[in-house]
Amino acid sequence: MKRLEDFRPDCPPNEEKYAHPSPNVHGHGGPIAVGFGKVWQPLIKPCLIASQEAGHTINPDLNDGDPIGLAIPQMNIGDGIRGTSATAFLDTKSRSRLNNLTIVTRTICARVLFSGKEATGVELLPTSLDDTNRPPIVVYAEIEIILSAGAFASPQILLLSGIGPANDLSALNIPLVHNLPAVGQNLRDHTALGCEFIIDSSIPGHNQLLNSPSALHAAHSEYQSSKTGPLAMYGASAAVIFPRLPHLYTSLDFHALSSPTQTFLTAENRPSTEIWMMGGPIYYTGNDCPPDASVLTLEGLCQNNLSRGSLKLASRNPREFPLIDPAYLSHPYDLRIAIETLREMLKLANTPTMTSIIKAVLQGPRHPNNEQRLADASDEQTLKTFIIGTITQGFHAMGTCIMGRAGEADGVIGPDFKVVGVEGLRVADMSVCPILTSNHTQINAYLIGERCADVVLGKGSG
């Protein structure tokens, strides 16, 4: 992990108690810039104070192996520029060194081609619907094929290629290459819910900038000239809490779990959930928010969910999206996580600092006798109703092509990333991740790619 990182420890003056990294756990000189940011948005200060009022202790480096507590998120931004896998690994300089790399854009992989059980090539189609009559392009493999299309597209490609549950493929008249029932199963994801508030206009937010042509023009000009100013702030978040919630572990839903699952969920340094504090609105879609309002979003990201969804083909057409059933809240423990997360969010909203800046509730569980107020944390039925009506995806889907040990029924690929039962085909993306981790899964994806590369190049055993 450290070899990927180029850590930037800078933070605003006099804020070191919130951002004091552990230098021995961070990397330097890697392709991915990571840091706190030299300038913080104004919303950060009340969020930090309110979190401490709610009983959360400061964690000056949430990426040192112990994420528990209140922290400033570390972002993949360097010198005012957002870093991505494309900028880190496929910039102009990197591409110039890779004479064996060809990038084809506006293209989808329709299926993998096989000779018997051996993968021989891929069939490519243009993404444009104007080109649907063009014949597919076939690219043949000299050695092997590696799918890296993500938790939804990789299983879709395998199914379209004849690898998956035999009965499902037969129903769509897709020739069977290998019966692998776990393809598309075991879909895991974090779930998200949000409470949002109009806050004191003295705390500027995104709306004042985005809805003011003159302010936006000035900010754009400053960013273009120096990569500084409002557009260079880390605007997606203000602060984050990774708490341990004792009530979760005393609940009947927790005690109904198996002993190994309980041990896994209570492991040292494993948070119960995650709470983001950021500018909004993100969840609210009504008409009661003025366009220039300052908005606070409290987002609960439930990270220890036990529900498992699934993905299957809608048809043989590779351009048609697959049928996805995330099965959110299908496991009773997941609803318990969401309830306790929401209670902690309400506790945060009711701190002296938050109540001093909140002017109106945009979204949240409402008090049965007063729509202008938040519900009491003890009103579990109202909390449940709000959660069931608003819960959404955490955008961290994984597990649809699980990496398993030899003989495991849920396994789609082995430790060498090779697809079980066929030759010349590997998968390397979030679909292979067998455990729903308590983090933001960008780093998972990077590490899966790095690990697969090492195995392919013979630097590590599968």
Side-chain angles (χ1 to χ4, degrees):
M1 189 182 300
K2 291 171 69 173
R3 71 183 182 185
L4 293 173
E5 188 178 35
D6 184 20
F7 191 76
R8 317 287 180 88
D10 302 315
C11 73
N14 304 315
E15 300 292 356
E16 289 80 6
K17 73 174 182 177
Y18 295 110
H20 187 70
S22 307
N24 60 315
V25 300
H26 290 281
H28 302 278
I32 302 170
V34 179
F36 301 103
K38 296 180 181 179
V39 180
W40 294 349
Q41 59 172 309
L43 183 58
I44 280 186
K45 201 65 178 181
C47 290
L48 293 173
I49 295 171
S51 299
Q52 292 171 83
E53 291 172 348
H56 300 284
T57 58
I58 299 170
N59 184 339
D61 186 357
L62 83 172
N63 283 336
D64 67 355
D66 180 4
I68 305 300
L70 158 70
I72 298 296
Q74 297 171 20
M75 301 290 191
N76 292 146
I77 301 177
D79 303 320
I81 300 173
R82 171 72 175 177
T84 67
S85 55
T87 60
F89 301 104
L90 294 174
D91 61 351
T92 302
K93 184 177 180 180
S94 298
R95 293 199 305 272
S96 68
R97 297 196 303 265
L98 300 171
N99 296 325
N100 59 346
L101 173 67
T102 300
I103 299 174
V104 183
T105 60
R106 300 177 184 177
T107 304
I108 62 172
C109 178
R111 61 186 177 121
V112 178
L113 303 176
F114 284 87
S115 176
K117 296 277 190 176
E118 182 179 1
T120 58
V122 293
E123 193 174 86
L124 305 180
L125 294 173
T127 54
S128 174
L129 296 179
D130 296 332
D131 295 326
T132 54
N133 293 323
R134 285 176 52 186
I137 296 171
V138 176
V139 178
Y140 291 102
E142 290 186 2
I143 301 174
E144 63 179 347
I145 298 161
I146 303 175
L147 290 182
S148 188
F152 298 143
S154 282
Q156 181 185 20
I157 293 169
L158 290 181
L159 294 168
L160 290 166
S161 307
I163 301 174
N167 290 339
D168 290 355
L169 299 179
S170 176
L172 294 174
N173 296 315
I174 295 175
L176 182 67
V177 173
H178 185 67
N179 179 27
L180 202 53
V183 174
Q185 303 303 303
N186 299 302
L187 173 61
R188 309 285 296 275
D189 196 358
H190 300 148
T191 47
L193 62 150
C195 296
E196 299 193 301
F197 312 88
I198 295 176
I199 60 174
D200 195 308
S201 60
S202 65
I203 304 173
H206 311 313
N207 290 340
Q208 290 96 326
L209 175 65
L210 298 177
N211 289 292
S212 170
S214 59
L216 188 58
H217 176 75
H220 184 266
S221 298
E222 181 178 357
Y223 183 80
Q224 288 294 99
S225 65
S226 62
K227 296 295 184 291
T228 60
L231 294 182
M233 287 187 187
Y234 296 8
S237 64
V240 64
I241 303 168
F242 283 94
R244 297 272 285 192
L245 304 177
H247 290 299
L248 191 58
Y249 307 125
T250 59
S251 68
L252 294 177
D253 298 298
F254 178 80
H255 286 289
L257 302 175
S258 68
S259 179
T261 301
Q262 291 183 20
T263 300
F264 175 75
L265 293 173
T266 55
E268 185 181 7
N269 299 335
R270 186 176 186 88
S272 303
T273 190
E274 178 183 0
I275 298 173
W276 281 88
M277 294 156 278
M278 66 192 99
I282 297 173
Y283 293 88
Y284 179 73
T285 57
N287 300 314
D288 295 332
C289 183
D292 61 347
S294 292
V295 176
L296 165 68
T297 297
L298 302 181
E299 180 188 68
L301 191 64
C302 304
Q303 297 190 329
N304 292 312
N305 295 332
L306 299 177
S307 300
R308 293 177 183 249
S310 62
L311 173 152
K312 62 191 299 185
L313 295 178
S315 73
R316 297 179 58 176
N317 182 357
R319 288 193 174 90
E320 186 170 358
F321 291 138
L323 302 174
I324 301 171
D325 177 11
Y328 297 144
L329 304 179
S330 59
H331 195 292
Y333 184 67
D334 295 3
L335 180 57
R336 178 53 50 192
I337 297 173
I339 290 170
E340 299 304 331
T341 298
L342 183 54
R343 281 179 167 148
E344 197 65 26
M345 293 161 63
L346 296 179
K347 181 180 178 182
L348 189 62
N350 285 313
T351 58
T353 293
M354 287 302 189
T355 55
S356 72
I357 66 172
I358 290 175
K359 302 304 178 184
V361 179
L362 286 175
Q363 174 157 314
R366 307 289 181 139
H367 195 283
N369 300 324
N370 186 345
E371 280 288 305
Q372 305 305 311
R373 285 180 50 201
L374 290 170
D376 295 333
S378 60
D379 184 357
E380 186 159 308
Q381 186 54 53
T382 296
L383 302 191
K384 284 183 181 179
T385 301
F386 174 76
I387 290 165
I388 293 170
T390 63
I391 199 94
T392 188
Q393 64 175 318
F395 295 96
H396 296 157
M398 63 184 76
T400 47
C401 299
I402 277 181
M403 177 183 287
R405 299 183 180 90
E408 284 187 337
D410 287 345
V412 174
I413 68 165
D416 55 5
F417 296 89
K418 292 181 179 179
V419 176
V420 173
V422 299
E423 300 295 329
L425 180 61
R426 304 187 205 235
V427 179
D429 55 39
M430 285 305 299
S431 71
V432 313
C433 198
I435 297 172
L436 187 65
T437 52
S438 294
N439 66 311
H440 289 230
T441 55
Q442 178 190 26
I443 186 59
N444 301 41
Y446 286 150
L447 292 177
I448 287 168
E450 287 279 308
R451 176 62 178 165
C452 183
D454 285 347
V455 170
V456 170
L457 296 173
K459 296 179 180 179
S461 58

